[in-house]
Amino acid sequence: MKLNLSLADQIALELRADIIGGRLLPGMPLIEADLVKAYDASRNTIREALHRLGQEGLTRYVRNKGVMVRRMEREEVRDLFVVRRTLELQAVAQSGRVTNDQSERMQNAIDATTFAREREDWRAVATHSLLFHQQIVGLMHSPLFDEFFAQIIAQLRLVFCAAPDEQRFQTPWLERDREIYTLLAGDNKPAASEAMSLYLDESERLSLALFDHP
């Protein structure tokens, strides 16, 4: 937990982590009474946490059903990738040489993705790949960008849930992530920027295609 956060903020962060981890999926209800018991919190605290998630674009109130995890819309995908290009390409271009700690965190994310793929846990593959890209944004040393991008990857996780075949959708990205990491670790920023740009172009194209099926 981060320090100096209210209980509602802490609960919102845990629920967001559950979305990023693929444990809360689009359309799932977030029932106040269940959350009150799970977190030993008041209804007002739970409502505040759910309100925060709504502000982050992760939940939606549905009349007669209550608060539910959002289903993302096609037009939102393009905007998410505008943000990704702005932050990730800037992080690659403007960061200093990757430190040992930064390199280790990126390598750990890639190792976790590799292990998930070996287990054919495609939901976890998506999660750890997104966390690798969180580490790239972290190269800018900006807590504000880090927090904002955590909200973005949670929304992206909800986009990826629209894939009818998770294995087919997630298979290409691990090698792409490895390539980007290798170039960054070797301080080859021009090639890393080009690889990242191609990655984002392809990821956007395939993400948009998820919303084209009947």
Side-chain angles (χ1 to χ4, degrees), residues 1-189:
M1 290 290 180
K2 294 182 181 180
L3 299 177
N4 303 320
L5 292 179
S6 69
L7 179 57
D9 286 338
Q10 293 175 19
I11 292 170
L13 286 176
E14 288 198 17
L15 291 172
R16 185 210 289 166
D18 284 341
I19 290 172
I20 294 171
R23 294 177 290 277
L24 287 175
L25 304 175
M28 280 187 174
L30 294 172
I31 301 169
E32 277 187 16
D34 292 345
L35 295 173
V36 165
K37 290 180 182 178
Y39 289 100
D40 192 21
S42 70
R43 281 189 176 269
N44 283 342
T45 297
I46 294 301
R47 286 171 184 165
E48 187 179 342
L50 294 177
H51 178 68
R52 170 169 174 169
L53 291 178
Q55 290 178 317
E56 294 180 4
L58 301 176
T59 61
R60 174 171 289 162
Y61 177 78
V62 180
R63 195 170 195 176
N64 299 323
K65 292 186 178 180
V67 177
M68 308 185 80
V69 180
R70 279 192 64 204
R71 297 184 189 277
M72 303 300 290
E73 303 291 338
R74 189 182 196 279
E75 58 269 20
E76 295 171 304
V77 173
R78 289 192 187 279
D79 199 26
L80 288 171
F81 277 88
V82 168
V83 173
R84 291 195 74 176
R85 285 187 179 86
T86 301
L87 293 184
E88 295 192 64
L89 290 174
Q90 180 175 330
V92 170
Q94 297 187 2
S95 64
R97 190 176 184 90
V98 174
T99 67
N100 289 337
D101 285 345
Q102 290 168 335
S103 178
E104 182 177 1
R105 286 193 292 271
M106 285 191 283
Q107 183 65 63
N108 287 342
I110 288 174
D111 289 346
T113 308
T114 303
F115 184 53
R117 191 170 76 169
E118 289 171 353
R119 301 194 319 270
E120 297 187 353
D121 184 350
W122 302 105
R123 190 172 293 176
V125 167
T127 295
H128 291 300
S129 178
L130 286 170
L131 294 176
F132 169 73
H133 289 267
Q134 175 87 72
Q135 294 301 326
I136 289 176
V137 171
L139 295 174
M140 291 191 285
H141 301 286
S142 169
L144 285 175
F145 278 150
D146 290 343
E147 168 63 19
F148 177 57
F149 197 67
Q151 298 174 31
I152 295 301
I153 65 172
Q155 291 188 39
L156 284 164
R157 193 66 187 79
L158 295 178
V159 170
F160 297 162
C161 289
D165 183 343
E166 283 189 285
Q167 177 176 353
R168 183 178 178 184
F169 185 77
Q170 295 298 338
T171 295
W173 309 122
L174 177 56
E175 297 310 320
R176 297 284 194 96
D177 287 345
R178 281 195 182 122
E179 178 189 13
I180 293 166
Y181 167 71
T182 299
L183 293 168
L184 281 171
D187 203 30
N188 189 344
K189 290 183 183 178

